[in-house]
Amino acid sequence: MSAWQELDDELARWADTGRTATLWWRDDDAIDATPQLDRLLGLRARHDVTLGLAVIPERATEALAARLADDGGTAVLQHGYAHQNHADDGAKKIELGPHRPAMVVLGELGTGWLALERLFGPRSLPVMVPPWNRIAPALVPTLPEIGLRGLSTFAPRKRAEPVRGLRQVNTHVDPIDWHGGRGFVGEREAVAGLARSLAIRRLAEVESSVREEPTGLLTHHLVQDEAVWAFLDRLFARLRAHSGVRILAPQEVFGLS
């Protein structure tokens, strides 16, 4: 059986239970108007899907703001501040870690949010996407204190609201093989990963945070190879053909609509 057939079968199981399979799409590391960004937005428009674009505030340009001004299907999320690693040598990369005073980190994030508001206006959502999908646990409770209402990393969340006033919605499927050359992980692995994430949700207990979390697709437009682009084109065409699938807007995902 092909991986695509496995996905079709999983979506059919959702339909048999009277449920709609929900997904959302996040793309990271946006900084400027580039040919890769044009390709990303073209893909989004061609399949009429919505996108949460994680923008690095310290590096975001006026050209990026101008390019997004007429794209009603893309919302801006805050991708840390400068996407700068502060971990010790040999440790996993992290910007929002315990290596600096919390007030310094929060000050940067506040500055970054002001920059996004200035550049993108209401298109920017108060949602934090930590670079490298990592954030020190002690920082999470402080995010609502600086006006952030959403958090997104990678892997199934433990709770829908890690602290009051902060909704966490993660991503779960990444088509890039970061540890094996940064090319495409392969169609079977990518599609099977999506089907597996949906199956875990379908079989989870009622009202559990896993069951209710939309399955998130994570992409990186600046580094994707041709195989990843082709996969995304085929995936969205397939998903859009299923009446029992909804690709949610970031505003809905984080309760900001």
Side-chain angles (χ1 to χ4, degrees):
M1 181 186 298
S2 73
W4 290 108
Q5 186 60 55
E6 291 177 18
L7 178 60
D8 288 341
D9 290 348
E10 177 57 32
L11 293 173
R13 294 185 189 102
W14 277 72
D16 289 343
T17 63
R19 297 172 61 197
T20 298
T22 52
L23 300 96
W24 77 293
W25 180 20
R26 194 187 97 204
D27 185 277
D28 286 2
D29 300 342
I31 54 176
D32 200 0
T34 63
Q36 296 97 323
L37 181 72
D38 285 341
R39 190 171 186 179
L40 180 76
L41 299 182
L43 178 72
R44 185 211 67 71
R46 182 164 62 255
H47 294 287
D48 192 25
V49 293
T50 54
L51 169 67
L53 186 65
V55 175
I56 303 171
E58 195 268 341
R59 300 167 62 188
T61 66
E62 297 282 354
L64 176 61
R67 179 64 183 86
L68 295 179
D70 296 323
D71 191 304
T74 300
V76 170
L77 314 178
Q78 183 173 350
H79 201 25
Y81 175 64
H83 209 298
Q84 182 176 353
N85 178 34
H86 295 284
D88 298 331
D89 291 343
K92 291 183 177 180
K93 293 180 178 179
I94 187 170
E95 180 176 52
L96 310 183
H99 311 85
R100 299 179 296 156
M103 292 306 296
V104 172
V105 178
L106 294 175
E108 285 186 349
L109 295 182
T111 299
W113 172 247
L114 291 176
L116 294 186
E117 279 194 310
R118 178 184 64 81
L119 283 170
F120 304 102
R123 190 179 305 279
S124 55
L125 304 182
V127 174
M128 177 54 53
V129 177
W132 298 287
N133 289 299
R134 300 187 184 107
I135 183 170
L139 285 174
V140 173
T142 67
L143 297 181
E145 297 176 10
I146 58 172
L148 291 165
R149 296 172 57 189
L151 173 65
S152 182
T153 60
F154 190 85
R157 65 190 180 189
K158 295 180 180 179
R159 294 179 298 278
E161 285 196 2
V163 295
R164 185 175 180 180
L166 187 73
R167 179 180 294 187
Q168 183 165 5
V169 185
N170 291 345
T171 53
H172 311 86
V173 180
D174 186 340
I176 295 179
D177 183 2
W178 293 102
H179 303 291
R182 298 195 171 195
F184 184 34
V185 296
E187 189 170 87
R188 166 157 287 283
E189 184 170 344
V191 177
L194 179 57
R196 184 166 54 251
S197 175
L198 289 168
I200 290 171
R201 291 177 54 204
R202 177 176 53 82
L203 297 171
E205 296 179 3
V206 176
E207 303 302 328
S208 73
S209 62
V210 170
R211 178 184 173 97
E212 302 305 323
E213 182 181 29
T215 297
L217 174 67
L218 174 59
T219 59
H220 293 75
H221 67 281
L222 289 175
V223 298
Q224 292 172 180
D225 63 16
E226 288 299 321
V228 174
W229 287 109
F231 164 73
L232 294 174
D233 201 25
R234 187 175 181 185
L235 174 64
F236 284 124
R238 198 116 181 177
L239 292 174
R240 295 288 289 162
H242 282 272
S243 59
V245 174
R246 285 188 62 214
I247 300 176
L248 307 178
Q251 292 90 335
E252 184 176 0
V253 166
F254 292 98
L256 299 171
S257 55

